[in-house]
Amino acid sequence: MQTAFQVRSLIREGSWTSHTSGLADRHVQGNVVILPQDLAGDFLRYCQRNPKPCPLLAVSEPGDRFLPSLGADIDICTDVPRYRVWHHGELAGEPTNITPLWRDDLVTFVIGCSFSFEQALIEAGLSLRHVEQGRNVAMFRTNLPTEAAGPFSGPMVVTMRPLRAADAIRAVQITSRFPNVHGAPVHIGDPSIIGITDLSRPDYGDAVEVLPDELPVFWACGVTPQAAIQQARPKFCITHAPGAMLITDLLNHQLASF
C-alpha cells in the first residue's frame, strides 16, 4: 500500500498525471482552487455559505505555496496530478506543474473530497463500481443552486455512485459521519429531479453503468467551484482537473465526526 508521501512523489516527478481515486486510500484528498488575493475573501464567503459542496480543509497565506496543516512537504505548485488554468472563466490549459505561473498574491483553498469517504464505504462491504473498474467517479452539474458570494455563484456539482437500496441506506449512515468531505448524499433516485438528463454522459469524470436493481446516489462535489468560476469569470484562476486531487497526510478517520 502506497503512502501519501510516495504518491505525491510520483505526482511531483510527473510519473502520475491521472485521477487519484483509490490511491493512498487511507488519506484525505482535497479539491484545489487558487485565486488572486483580491477575490479570496469573496470565495471564502462562498465556501462558508455552501459547506456541503465546499467544505474547507485549508486556506493558505497569500503567496505561500506550502500547506503545513495538510502535509509537511506539500508544494501546491507540483503536488496535484493535473491542474486547470482559467482566464476570464475559459479553460486555458491543463498543466502538471504550475511553478511558472505562481505569483505572490495567490491564495490556495483546499476543499474536502468524496474520495475520502470511499474507503469507509469499501470497509463496510459496499461495492464502488468506478473504483473496481479503475475509472474516475462520474460528476454532473445539477439544477440545485448554490448561495452566491460576490461574483461567485452557480449550480451544485454532484458525484454519482450506483448502489442497491440496502447499500444506499448504509451509505447514508456512513457518509453522514464525514461532514468535512461532503457528508450524506444530497439526492437518491430519479436524476431528472435535480436536472440530470442522461447518466451515461457525465459533465466530468467517467460514466458507470447503473444496473436494474440499483439506485443512483448523489453526493455534493468539490468540483462545484469550477462551475462558480466559469460564471464569475475571474481574470486568472487555477483549479485541480476533476478527479486529480491533492493527497494529504491527514487520515480519513480523523475527519469522522463520531
Side-chain angles (χ1 to χ4, degrees), residues 185-199:
V186 296
H187 183 68
I188 297 174
D190 185 353
S192 67
I193 293 174
I194 57 172
I196 299 170
T197 57
D198 188 351
L199 290 179

Side-chain angles (χ1 to χ4, degrees), residues 70-146:
L70 301 182
D73 71 315
I74 289 176
D75 182 342
I76 200 58
C77 288
T78 61
D79 292 359
V80 173
R82 187 169 297 277
Y83 303 82
R84 282 187 161 185
V85 179
W86 305 85
H87 292 160
H88 299 282
E90 299 294 330
L91 183 61
E94 291 196 344
T96 57
N97 185 317
I98 58 168
T99 301
L101 302 174
W102 192 253
R103 303 178 347 198
D104 289 341
D105 68 329
L106 295 179
V107 178
T108 300
F109 296 83
V110 181
I111 295 168
C113 169
S114 61
F115 289 173
S116 292
F117 62 59
E118 287 186 341
Q119 186 60 24
L121 296 175
I122 291 169
E123 289 175 357
L126 277 64
S127 174
L128 300 179
R129 186 159 296 124
H130 70 283
V131 175
E132 293 173 348
Q133 295 179 350
R135 298 184 179 186
N136 195 0
V137 70
M139 293 165 267
F140 301 87
R141 293 165 66 101
T142 72
N143 61 10
L144 302 173
T146 57

Side-chain angles (χ1 to χ4, degrees), residues 210-240:
V210 180
L211 299 179
D213 64 341
E214 293 175 330
L215 296 168
V217 184
F218 301 92
W219 280 266
C221 177
V223 172
T224 297
Q226 298 200 18
I229 287 162
Q230 287 177 296
Q231 193 145 315
R233 302 181 65 82
K235 291 181 181 179
F236 179 76
C237 177
I238 301 171
T239 67
H240 68 292

